[in-house]
Amino acid sequence: MTKDNIRVGLIGFGMAGRIFHGPFIHAVPGLELTRIRESKAPNIQIAQDRYPKAAITANVEDIFADAAIDLVVIATPNASHFELAQKALLAGKHVVVEKPFTPTSEQATQLIELAQAQGKLLTVYHNRRWDSDFKTVQKVVASGVLGNVVEYKAHFDRFRPAVRENTWKEEVAPGAGIVFDLGSHLIDQALVLFGRPIEIFGDMRVQRKHSRIIDKFEATLYYENCTVTLSAGLLVKELSPRYTLHGDQGSFLKYGLDVQEKALNDGLLPHQSANWGVEPASIWGHLHTEHQGLKLKGTVESEVGHYRGFYENVYQAITGQAPLVVTPEQARDVITVIERIKQSSDEKRRVSF
């Protein structure tokens, strides 16, 4: 133990807590997973096997009341994010909230103001900023090889025609549906690259038989000299390029998905793999451009992805070593865009950000 150790309480050890949070908290020196809230026996067994030093509790209040815990990570269903984050902040904890931040931008504002009043860090787990493919897209855009980017398209599609049983993600509740789920990642990435849009046009619909939630969306974000199209659906058998970028000097296309989620679902852990987050050459992006007198056509080796980067930054921000990368204001902007997409879809018109 050192004085800089940050003790972490993790609320929820379902897919989010088990797959996307626990392994990367554990991978960061200085973060100590101290207590886990979970009630389902299979998940408890996994938590005990992986993190034997962490106490397991079925009562979330045990985490709020534990004076030794510095940071609370909320990895629970979307509808519960606001209430749990509010309680954690009032208990004097720093807080990480699984995306989406909150069901409404008004709730996000309340949490931001509370965190400021409490003097505590508040952030949202927009981990897909640390995907290998998005890191590569960022590098390509920043390099200038495309010139001025005039069109950007991003997809996050799956083929899941059957409505899944026994999952809160298929239930009607605040923050439910594909725009909050996969759309949050697409929107956050677009805002990182291009900032806030001027106008938004959105289309939200139900495509799967018996689905009770929005399971398809497409949105266009309009900027002064660029259009951004974001799309996610659950009835996509043959995948389009994940990213398509066109500029006044060239184009970049990227197929495939960052390899971390599959590795995690297969039971692999980041500290056990020397090649964590390394994409195979078969899904490297394709660049075709004319830049500074050079005609270039070929593949671009993908950057290495690692979600540990999110928690490394959280540790550094809490200990005063670096500014926070994912600010709560940025996460609130994601929710605002979702609200505008819904408004546009309902009113069938473009709306201002």
Side-chain angles (χ1 to χ4, degrees):
M1 297 287 294
T2 72
K3 65 178 181 180
D4 287 332
N5 270 22
I6 303 298
R7 299 174 183 86
V8 182
L10 174 57
I11 302 176
F13 203 72
M15 180 181 178
R18 184 179 72 253
I19 299 295
F20 289 109
H21 291 276
F24 300 101
I25 296 169
H26 186 66
V28 176
L31 291 183
E32 179 186 343
L33 190 51
T34 302
R35 193 180 288 268
I36 299 171
R37 187 273 171 192
E38 182 54 54
S39 58
K40 295 181 180 179
N43 293 342
I44 290 173
Q45 186 61 56
I46 295 171
Q48 290 173 332
D49 291 343
R50 287 187 182 175
Y51 313 111
K53 294 183 179 180
I56 312 298
T57 179
N59 186 353
V60 70
E61 299 297 333
D62 291 342
I63 290 180
F64 300 141
D66 189 339
I69 289 178
D70 306 293
L71 170 66
V72 170
V73 176
I74 297 167
T76 58
N78 301 347
S80 66
H81 288 182
F82 173 74
E83 180 183 0
L84 291 174
Q86 184 181 57
K87 287 184 176 180
L89 289 168
L90 288 171
K93 314 299 186 186
H94 302 290
V95 178
V96 171
V97 185
E98 170 62 36
K99 67 80 204 164
F101 189 4
T102 50
T104 71
S105 59
E106 181 182 353
Q107 290 174 330
T109 297
Q110 290 181 46
L111 292 180
I112 290 169
E113 292 174 351
L114 178 58
Q116 291 171 345
Q118 295 288 91
K120 295 299 176 181
L121 175 143
L122 173 64
T123 186
V124 177
Y125 192 60
H126 280 297
N127 61 308
R128 297 278 176 185
R129 295 191 192 185
W130 285 267
D131 274 357
S132 56
D133 47 16
F134 181 65
K135 289 176 67 177
T136 306
V137 166
Q138 281 185 294
K139 192 171 185 177
V140 168
V141 171
S143 73
V145 294
L146 301 180
N148 296 310
V149 176
V150 297
E151 187 175 4
Y152 170 93
K153 295 181 180 179
H155 287 259
F156 204 153
D157 297 317
R158 306 187 191 276
F159 187 68
R160 292 178 178 170
V163 174
R164 292 177 293 168
E165 298 180 356
N166 302 318
T167 172
W168 59 266
K169 289 190 175 183
E170 297 281 7
E171 297 173 359
V172 177
I178 199 168
V179 193
F180 283 97
D181 185 15
L182 303 181
S184 290
H185 294 305
L186 296 174
I187 294 165
D188 179 67
Q189 291 177 346
L191 296 182
V192 168
L193 288 172
F194 304 105
R196 292 173 170 178
I198 299 169
E199 291 184 313
I200 298 167
F201 182 80
D203 181 74
M204 299 167 54
R205 61 185 62 227
V206 178
Q207 289 187 333
R208 296 172 303 159
K209 190 179 297 185
H210 307 305
S211 176
R212 296 188 297 157
I213 61 166
I214 297 295
D215 56 16
K216 167 67 181 180
F217 94 97
E218 184 168 307
T220 303
L221 281 55
Y222 296 92
Y223 296 83
E224 186 173 353
N225 296 306
C226 179
T227 57
V228 169
T229 304
L230 310 175
S231 177
L234 298 179
L235 292 180
V236 184
K237 187 73 168 177
E238 189 68 28
L239 297 177
S240 305
R242 179 150 164 76
Y243 298 99
T244 301
L245 290 85
H246 300 301
D248 57 13
Q249 294 180 19
S251 299
F252 179 74
L253 274 68
K254 175 71 175 67
Y255 285 85
L257 183 65
D258 176 274
V259 297
Q260 294 180 82
E261 182 175 355
K262 183 180 186 305
L264 291 161
N265 281 323
D266 288 344
L268 301 177
L269 296 173
H271 66 278
Q272 297 172 339
S273 173
N275 295 317
W276 187 264
V278 177
E279 284 192 353
S282 60
I283 59 170
W284 290 353
H286 298 272
L287 176 68
H288 188 187
T289 188
E290 295 185 22
H291 180 65
Q292 296 181 349
L294 296 174
K295 295 183 178 181
L296 305 171
K297 187 174 184 180
T299 57
V300 176
E301 182 174 352
S302 294
E303 295 292 295
V304 176
H306 208 313
Y307 300 147
R308 181 185 62 207
F310 173 87
Y311 275 108
E312 286 176 337
N313 175 252
V314 167
Y315 173 78
Q316 292 165 354
I318 291 174
T319 56
Q321 300 176 53
L324 188 63
V325 171
V326 183
T327 69
E329 291 82 6
Q330 292 169 349
R332 177 179 57 191
D333 282 348
V334 172
I335 304 304
T336 299
V337 171
I338 291 173
E339 291 173 337
R340 298 295 181 268
I341 291 171
K342 183 181 186 306
Q343 179 188 356
S344 172
S345 184
D346 290 344
E347 298 176 4
K348 296 179 172 49
R349 67 178 183 90
R350 286 191 192 185
V351 297
S352 298
F353 175 82

